[in-house]
Each structure stands twice: as C-alpha cells, then as structure tokens.
C-alpha cells in the first residue's frame, strides 16, 4: 500500500554530477528540488580515486570528496537531499508519480532523471579488490589513463569503447596489451584497424583474464589464459582497464520513456527533453559517448533550465 506524502515542483533522481548540478540550478530558481540519492550516493565518481580533469580543481580532488562538495553546494541553496531508491514510476498522467523504496508515493510536476550508467566489470575477486583499493583498476581511460603515463597497462574488451580507450592509452603509456576473448573484434572495422595499426598496442585474441595480480596495495600485472590453447601468461602492468560496456540505469523508466537499443534514454537533440512532457534527462543515462563528469554536470544544468522553462510556460 502506498501513501501520498507530498507534491513537488521538481524531483531529481540520482546523485552524480548531473543530479547535483541540476539541483543547484533548480534550487536557485526556487523550484524547491528534492533529490533522491539512490543506492550509490555520489554515483560512479565515488569509485574513482583522483579527479584531475574537472575544471576548477587545479590540484585535483578525489571522486568522493568532489561529490560531497557538490552535495554541499546543492544543499546550500535549499535542495532536500534524501536517502532512498526510486523503485517505480508512472509517467502516464500530467502529474508524474514515483515511488520511493516501493512504498512512499511522490507526485512531481517535473522529474529530472540523473540515474547514470554503471560500468560493467568482469566480477572476479582480484579485480574487485584492487578496484575498491583504488590500486590500479579502472573502467575509464579518459579519467584515469594519465596516472599510468609511461607505464604498461592491460585493457580488456573488444568493442568500440575498448578500441577507443586502448588508442587513448597508447598515447600515454609505453605499452597497452589488449585482451580480446574471441578471435575477432566487436568494434567497427575502422576502430579495430586503428588499434591494430598502433605499434605499442599488443592484441591477444582468444584471451581471458584469470586474475589481476598485485602486491596487496596496487596492481602489478594480469594473469591471462588463452581459451584455445589453455596457455597461461603473466603480463606486467600497473593498470588494468575494463572496457566491456556500460549499463544505463534506466530500466524503471522503460514503460514510459523512449530508450535506444542499449537502454539509453533518447532525448531531443540539443535539449534534455524526453518524450514525456515534464520529464527531463541528464548525464550518462542518456549519454554513451562522452560519459564525463563535466559533460554530465553540463546536461544537469540544461535539465534544470528546461524544467524551469516548462513550469514557467505552464503557469
Ligand atoms: P559493447 O557491448 O559494444 O562491447 C563490449 C565488449 O566487451 C565486447 O567486445 C565483448 O566481447 C566484451 N566483453 C563483454 N563481457 C566480457 C567479459 N566478461 N570478458 C571479456 N570481454 C567481455 O560495448 P562498448 O562500450 O564498446 O560500446 C557500447 C556502444 O557504444 C556500442 O554501440 C558502440 O558502438 C558505441 N560506441 C561508439 C563509439 C564511437 O563511435 N566512437 C565509442 C564507444 C562506444 P564479445 O565481443 O566477445 O561479446
């Protein structure tokens, strides 16, 4: 049984850079936003160690610290930041309904979706261990590649992302070893060709990760196995990059919002509007291309401005 507890002008779902930036703008525009943080308060950046590419932090900042600062900035203007997980939505009427933790029902004139995407990982224990330690496992070459300048790294994956990231890393690192589990790429021919033509990228086909090796603190290598010959090989590396895809956190919206084939919300180009009036999207939930904190923040700003204009036009 659910209970209607309040009617909001603006509900923001998600607490990454997109959600908090939307909150800062919405709060300053007197929209009294309520932001639900979800199960991973702070979003993907909380799994990142050092953030050096977000403008305004000349000395860099850790991901968790940056998210706390964004939360503080959103709260400063009156955003009501709450714990809670949106489990269901109903966007069929003019008032948008959402349910928090299955039970509490909230009605909102505008909803800004900033639920992000989750990087997929292999799920093996050693990968998760060094990911949690911040010791050399990453799912974002653009974010973390710089820390491996002039070092040797391994990347797993064979899609367009893996090729793009391998190529990016090849410009920073002395050697990039790419582990491809089948005997061919999934990536487009042009992307695959680019990595094949790069001197310091070594591609190992039919090869899977057995274990991420380390000294207990940081990654020192990767144990890989050829799934055809069963040959096991230890590769020296200080960084292990996982580029096997992302999963946008959009399932609960799929009955109402238009999604692309891979689950990303389709927005009107150049705006944050979705196919449902009053529902806006920002950040990685609609972006499989850029996926950066700064681009997420930019689209969070757009979503708040679009929501404000939508409300103004209705008044
Ligand atoms: P994809 O789903 O396209 O590729 C994932 C890759 O990871 C596949 O090669 C897959 O292998 C591999 N993989 C999955 N699980 C494992 C595992 N457990 N162990 C080893 N390998 C694994 O994801 P992408 O992120 O690369 O791309 C997503 C979408 O974004 C695509 O449509 C892509 O075209 C697009 N994109 C476009 C870009 C561009 O145009 N510039 C840049 C980046 C992405 P297998 O092939 O064996 O299934």
């Amino acid at each position: 049984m659910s209970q209607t507890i309040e009617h909001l002008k603006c509900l923001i779902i998600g607490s990454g850079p997109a959600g908090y930036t939307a909150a800062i703008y919405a709060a300053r525009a007197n929209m009294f936003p309520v932001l639900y943080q979800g199960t991973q308060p702070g979003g993907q950046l909380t799994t990142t160690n050092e953030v050096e590419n977000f403008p305004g932090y000349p000395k860099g900042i850790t991901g968790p610290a940056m998210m706390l600062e964004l939360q503080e900035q959103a709260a400063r203007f009156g955003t009501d930041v709450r714990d809670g997980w949106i489990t269901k939505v109903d966007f069929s009427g003019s008032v948008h309904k959402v349910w928090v933790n299955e039970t509490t029902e909230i009605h909102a004139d505008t909803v800004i979706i900033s639920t992000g995407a989750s990087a997929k990982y292999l799920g093996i224990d050693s990968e998760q261990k060094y990911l949690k330690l911040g010791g050399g496992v990453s799912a974002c070459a653009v974010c973390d590649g710089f820390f491996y300048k002039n070092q040797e790294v391994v990347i797993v994956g064979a899609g367009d992302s893996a090729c793009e990231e391998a190529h990016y890393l090849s410009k920073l690192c002395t050697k990039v070893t790419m582990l491809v589990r089948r005997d061919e790429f999934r990536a487009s021919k042009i992307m695959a060709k680019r990595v094949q033509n790069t001197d310091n990228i070594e591609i190992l086909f039919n090869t899977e990760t057995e274990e991420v090796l380390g000294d207990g603190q940081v990654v020192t290598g990767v144990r890989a196995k050829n799934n055809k010959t069963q040959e096991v090989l230890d590769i020296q590396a200080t960084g292990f990059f996982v580029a096997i895809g992302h999963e946008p956190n959009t399932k609960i919206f799929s009955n109402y919002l238009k999604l692309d084939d891979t689950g990303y919300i389709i927005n009107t180009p150049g705006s944050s509007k979705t196919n449902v009036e009053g529902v806006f999207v920002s950040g990685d939930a609609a972006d499989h291309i850029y996926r950066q904190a700064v681009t997420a923040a930019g689209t969070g700003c757009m979503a708040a401005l679009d929501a404000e204009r939508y409300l103004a036009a209705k008044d």
Side-chain angles (χ1 to χ4, degrees), residues 104-133:
T104 307
E105 183 176 340
I106 290 182
H107 293 183
D109 296 328
T110 62
V111 176
I112 295 177
I113 297 169
S114 315
T115 47
S118 304
K120 293 182 191 162
Y121 289 92
L122 299 176
I124 55 179
D125 290 347
S126 51
E127 169 206 57
Q128 291 302 306
K129 174 180 161 182
Y130 287 104
L131 174 68
K132 287 192 184 102
L133 284 170

Short mmCIF file of all heavy atoms in Angstrom, two decimals, residues 104-133:
data_model
loop_
_atom_site.label_atom_id
_atom_site.label_comp_id
_atom_site.label_asym_id
_atom_site.label_seq_id
_atom_site.Cartn_x
_atom_site.Cartn_y
_atom_site.Cartn_z
N THR A 104 6.62 4.69 -0.52
CA THR A 104 6.25 6.11 -0.44
C THR A 104 5.99 6.68 -1.82
O THR A 104 6.86 6.62 -2.70
CB THR A 104 7.39 6.90 0.23
OG1 THR A 104 7.70 6.27 1.46
CG2 THR A 104 6.99 8.34 0.47
N GLU A 105 4.81 7.25 -2.02
CA GLU A 105 4.45 7.78 -3.34
C GLU A 105 4.64 9.29 -3.35
O GLU A 105 4.21 9.99 -2.44
CB GLU A 105 2.99 7.42 -3.63
CG GLU A 105 2.53 7.86 -5.00
CD GLU A 105 1.11 7.40 -5.30
OE1 GLU A 105 0.63 6.46 -4.64
OE2 GLU A 105 0.47 8.01 -6.16
N ILE A 106 5.30 9.77 -4.38
CA ILE A 106 5.54 11.21 -4.52
C ILE A 106 4.99 11.66 -5.87
O ILE A 106 5.13 10.94 -6.87
CB ILE A 106 7.06 11.51 -4.43
CG1 ILE A 106 7.54 11.28 -2.99
CG2 ILE A 106 7.37 12.93 -4.87
CD1 ILE A 106 8.99 11.59 -2.77
N HIS A 107 4.37 12.83 -5.89
CA HIS A 107 3.90 13.41 -7.15
C HIS A 107 4.78 14.61 -7.48
O HIS A 107 5.12 15.39 -6.58
CB HIS A 107 2.44 13.85 -7.01
CG HIS A 107 1.51 12.69 -6.83
ND1 HIS A 107 0.15 12.84 -6.74
CD2 HIS A 107 1.75 11.36 -6.74
CE1 HIS A 107 -0.41 11.64 -6.60
NE2 HIS A 107 0.54 10.74 -6.58
N ALA A 108 5.15 14.75 -8.74
CA ALA A 108 6.05 15.84 -9.11
C ALA A 108 5.63 16.45 -10.44
O ALA A 108 5.25 15.73 -11.36
CB ALA A 108 7.48 15.33 -9.20
N ASP A 109 5.71 17.80 -10.51
CA ASP A 109 5.41 18.47 -11.78
C ASP A 109 6.51 18.21 -12.79
O ASP A 109 6.26 18.07 -13.99
CB ASP A 109 5.29 19.98 -11.55
CG ASP A 109 4.12 20.32 -10.66
OD1 ASP A 109 3.11 19.60 -10.71
OD2 ASP A 109 4.23 21.29 -9.89
N THR A 110 7.74 18.21 -12.30
CA THR A 110 8.87 17.92 -13.20
C THR A 110 9.76 16.86 -12.54
O THR A 110 9.93 16.84 -11.32
CB THR A 110 9.74 19.17 -13.49
OG1 THR A 110 10.30 19.64 -12.27
CG2 THR A 110 8.94 20.28 -14.15
N VAL A 111 10.30 16.02 -13.39
CA VAL A 111 11.24 15.00 -12.91
C VAL A 111 12.52 15.12 -13.75
O VAL A 111 12.45 15.21 -14.98
CB VAL A 111 10.65 13.57 -13.08
CG1 VAL A 111 11.68 12.51 -12.66
CG2 VAL A 111 9.37 13.41 -12.27
N ILE A 112 13.64 15.17 -13.06
CA ILE A 112 14.93 15.18 -13.77
C ILE A 112 15.62 13.85 -13.46
O ILE A 112 15.92 13.53 -12.31
CB ILE A 112 15.80 16.37 -13.32
CG1 ILE A 112 15.11 17.68 -13.73
CG2 ILE A 112 17.21 16.27 -13.93
CD1 ILE A 112 15.84 18.94 -13.28
N ILE A 113 15.83 13.08 -14.51
CA ILE A 113 16.45 11.76 -14.34
C ILE A 113 17.97 11.91 -14.51
O ILE A 113 18.45 12.39 -15.54
CB ILE A 113 15.90 10.78 -15.39
CG1 ILE A 113 14.40 10.58 -15.17
CG2 ILE A 113 16.64 9.44 -15.31
CD1 ILE A 113 13.71 9.83 -16.29
N SER A 114 18.68 11.53 -13.47
CA SER A 114 20.16 11.60 -13.49
C SER A 114 20.70 10.31 -12.90
O SER A 114 21.56 10.33 -12.02
CB SER A 114 20.65 12.78 -12.65
OG SER A 114 19.90 13.94 -12.90
N THR A 115 20.14 9.21 -13.36
CA THR A 115 20.45 7.92 -12.73
C THR A 115 21.74 7.30 -13.24
O THR A 115 22.18 6.27 -12.72
CB THR A 115 19.29 6.94 -12.96
OG1 THR A 115 18.91 7.00 -14.34
CG2 THR A 115 18.09 7.30 -12.11
N GLY A 116 22.33 7.89 -14.27
CA GLY A 116 23.64 7.45 -14.70
C GLY A 116 23.68 6.09 -15.36
O GLY A 116 22.67 5.52 -15.76
N ALA A 117 24.88 5.60 -15.46
CA ALA A 117 25.11 4.27 -16.03
C ALA A 117 26.15 3.59 -15.16
O ALA A 117 26.93 4.25 -14.48
CB ALA A 117 25.63 4.39 -17.46
N SER A 118 26.13 2.30 -15.17
CA SER A 118 27.13 1.58 -14.38
C SER A 118 28.08 0.86 -15.31
O SER A 118 27.62 0.16 -16.24
CB SER A 118 26.44 0.55 -13.48
OG SER A 118 25.47 1.18 -12.68
N ALA A 119 29.35 1.04 -15.07
CA ALA A 119 30.34 0.33 -15.88
C ALA A 119 30.25 -1.15 -15.53
O ALA A 119 30.04 -1.51 -14.38
CB ALA A 119 31.74 0.84 -15.55
N LYS A 120 30.38 -1.99 -16.55
CA LYS A 120 30.40 -3.43 -16.28
C LYS A 120 31.82 -3.83 -15.92
O LYS A 120 32.79 -3.32 -16.51
CB LYS A 120 29.95 -4.20 -17.51
CG LYS A 120 28.50 -3.99 -17.86
CD LYS A 120 28.15 -4.84 -19.08
CE LYS A 120 26.80 -4.49 -19.63
NZ LYS A 120 26.61 -4.96 -21.00
N TYR A 121 31.93 -4.72 -14.98
CA TYR A 121 33.23 -5.28 -14.61
C TYR A 121 33.20 -6.78 -14.82
O TYR A 121 32.13 -7.39 -14.95
CB TYR A 121 33.54 -4.96 -13.13
CG TYR A 121 33.86 -3.50 -12.91
CD1 TYR A 121 32.86 -2.60 -12.56
CD2 TYR A 121 35.16 -3.01 -13.08
CE1 TYR A 121 33.13 -1.25 -12.37
CE2 TYR A 121 35.44 -1.67 -12.89
CZ TYR A 121 34.43 -0.79 -12.55
OH TYR A 121 34.72 0.54 -12.38
N LEU A 122 34.38 -7.39 -14.82
CA LEU A 122 34.43 -8.84 -15.01
C LEU A 122 33.81 -9.56 -13.82
O LEU A 122 33.23 -10.63 -13.95
CB LEU A 122 35.88 -9.31 -15.16
CG LEU A 122 36.65 -8.74 -16.35
CD1 LEU A 122 38.10 -9.21 -16.33
CD2 LEU A 122 35.98 -9.16 -17.66
N GLY A 123 34.00 -8.98 -12.64
CA GLY A 123 33.43 -9.58 -11.43
C GLY A 123 34.35 -10.55 -10.72
O GLY A 123 33.95 -11.17 -9.74
N ILE A 124 35.59 -10.67 -11.18
CA ILE A 124 36.50 -11.59 -10.47
C ILE A 124 37.03 -10.90 -9.21
O ILE A 124 37.14 -9.67 -9.15
CB ILE A 124 37.67 -12.09 -11.37
CG1 ILE A 124 38.45 -10.93 -11.97
CG2 ILE A 124 37.15 -12.99 -12.46
CD1 ILE A 124 39.62 -11.36 -12.83
N ASP A 125 37.34 -11.72 -8.19
CA ASP A 125 37.67 -11.18 -6.86
C ASP A 125 38.83 -10.19 -6.90
O ASP A 125 38.77 -9.13 -6.29
CB ASP A 125 38.03 -12.33 -5.89
CG ASP A 125 36.80 -13.14 -5.54
OD1 ASP A 125 35.68 -12.67 -5.84
OD2 ASP A 125 36.96 -14.26 -5.01
N SER A 126 39.90 -10.57 -7.60
CA SER A 126 41.10 -9.72 -7.58
C SER A 126 40.83 -8.36 -8.26
O SER A 126 41.34 -7.33 -7.83
CB SER A 126 42.27 -10.43 -8.27
OG SER A 126 41.87 -10.90 -9.54
N GLU A 127 40.00 -8.36 -9.29
CA GLU A 127 39.61 -7.10 -9.95
C GLU A 127 38.87 -6.21 -8.97
O GLU A 127 39.16 -5.02 -8.81
CB GLU A 127 38.73 -7.43 -11.16
CG GLU A 127 38.05 -6.23 -11.79
CD GLU A 127 36.77 -6.62 -12.49
OE1 GLU A 127 35.86 -7.21 -11.84
OE2 GLU A 127 36.66 -6.35 -13.70
N GLN A 128 37.90 -6.80 -8.28
CA GLN A 128 37.09 -6.02 -7.33
C GLN A 128 37.94 -5.52 -6.16
O GLN A 128 37.75 -4.43 -5.66
CB GLN A 128 35.92 -6.87 -6.83
CG GLN A 128 34.89 -7.14 -7.91
CD GLN A 128 34.31 -5.84 -8.49
OE1 GLN A 128 33.82 -5.00 -7.76
NE2 GLN A 128 34.40 -5.68 -9.80
N LYS A 129 38.90 -6.36 -5.74
CA LYS A 129 39.77 -5.98 -4.62
C LYS A 129 40.56 -4.71 -4.97
O LYS A 129 40.55 -3.73 -4.22
CB LYS A 129 40.73 -7.14 -4.31
CG LYS A 129 41.77 -6.82 -3.27
CD LYS A 129 42.68 -8.02 -3.04
CE LYS A 129 43.98 -7.61 -2.39
NZ LYS A 129 44.88 -8.75 -2.21
N TYR A 130 41.23 -4.70 -6.13
CA TYR A 130 42.06 -3.54 -6.47
C TYR A 130 41.20 -2.34 -6.93
O TYR A 130 41.64 -1.20 -6.82
CB TYR A 130 43.13 -3.92 -7.50
CG TYR A 130 44.20 -4.76 -6.85
CD1 TYR A 130 44.26 -6.14 -7.04
CD2 TYR A 130 45.10 -4.17 -5.96
CE1 TYR A 130 45.21 -6.91 -6.40
CE2 TYR A 130 46.05 -4.94 -5.30
CZ TYR A 130 46.10 -6.30 -5.52
OH TYR A 130 47.04 -7.05 -4.86
N LEU A 131 39.99 -2.62 -7.39
CA LEU A 131 39.08 -1.52 -7.70
C LEU A 131 38.72 -0.79 -6.40
O LEU A 131 38.79 0.44 -6.33
CB LEU A 131 37.81 -2.07 -8.37
CG LEU A 131 36.69 -1.05 -8.63
CD1 LEU A 131 37.13 -0.05 -9.70
CD2 LEU A 131 35.41 -1.75 -9.09
N LYS A 132 38.37 -1.56 -5.39
CA LYS A 132 37.97 -0.95 -4.11
C LYS A 132 39.14 -0.24 -3.44
O LYS A 132 38.97 0.79 -2.80
CB LYS A 132 37.39 -2.02 -3.17
CG LYS A 132 36.02 -2.45 -3.63
CD LYS A 132 35.27 -3.28 -2.61
CE LYS A 132 33.94 -3.75 -3.20
NZ LYS A 132 33.96 -5.15 -3.64
N LEU A 133 40.34 -0.79 -3.62
CA LEU A 133 41.52 -0.16 -3.01
C LEU A 133 41.96 1.09 -3.77
O LEU A 133 42.81 1.85 -3.30
CB LEU A 133 42.70 -1.15 -3.02
CG LEU A 133 42.68 -2.28 -1.97
CD1 LEU A 133 43.77 -3.29 -2.28
CD2 LEU A 133 42.88 -1.69 -0.58
#
